Amino acid sequence: MNLHTPGPWNLLRGGIEVQSESNNHEVHAFVNGIPVPIAEIYRNITVEHDDPVGTYEISEAEGLANAALIAAAPDLLAALKTIIEDRPRDVFGAIQAAESAIAKAEGRS
C-alpha cells in the first residue's frame, strides 16, 4: 500500500501554480488535476552551521539534480516493486521501467 502522494511527480523549475517566495525549484504531483507541492528544492545558497562548524554551497546544478531525484522517487519505487514482486515474469518490461526511472532520477527524461 502506498502512503505517499500519488505519482507521477514532476520537477517544475521555479514552480507554477504554487510559487515559492524564493523562486526555488519545486517538485509537484498533480492529483485530480491539482498541483500539489511535494518538495521545494533550494539552489544557489550557502548553508552555514556552528556544530559541526562548516559551510556547504548548493549550486544550481546540484539543486536540479536533487529535484530530479526526488521527482523520480515514485517511478523508482514502482520499478523496484515490479522486480521484487514479479521476480520478474516480464524481464524486458521490468528492465525498461527501471532504466526509465533511473533516467528520470538523473534528469535525462
Side-chain angles (χ1 to χ4, degrees), residues 12-15 18-27 39-45 60:
L12 301 171
R13 294 178 183 219
V18 181
Q19 185 73 11
S20 65
E21 290 181 21
S22 57
N23 200 35
N24 287 319
H25 302 310
E26 297 172 343
V27 175
E40 181 176 23
I41 311 304
Y42 295 96
R43 60 193 174 94
N44 294 329
I45 65 166
E60 173 76 9

Side-chain angles (χ1 to χ4, degrees), residues 13 22-23 29 31 38 58 61 79 83 87 94:
R13 294 178 183 219
S22 57
N23 200 35
V31 181
I38 300 300
I58 298 175
I83 291 168
R87 300 223 180 260

Side-chain angles (χ1 to χ4, degrees), residues 23-106:
N23 200 35
N24 287 319
H25 302 310
E26 297 172 343
V27 175
H28 285 233
F30 285 83
V31 181
N32 298 323
I34 300 167
V36 178
I38 300 300
E40 181 176 23
I41 311 304
Y42 295 96
R43 60 193 174 94
N44 294 329
I45 65 166
T46 301
V47 181
E48 297 181 15
H49 288 281
D50 294 332
D51 186 23
V53 175
T55 62
Y56 185 79
E57 185 173 325
I58 298 175
S59 67
E60 173 76 9
E62 185 175 352
L64 284 172
N66 292 340
L69 180 59
I70 292 167
D75 303 287
L76 292 165
L77 179 61
L80 288 171
K81 281 185 172 183
T82 296
I83 291 168
I84 298 301
E85 292 170 1
D86 292 349
R87 300 223 180 260
R89 285 171 247 170
D90 177 9
V91 174
F92 184 69
I95 290 170
Q96 281 187 313
E99 287 175 339
S100 177
I102 291 167
K104 183 174 182 179
E106 293 179 342

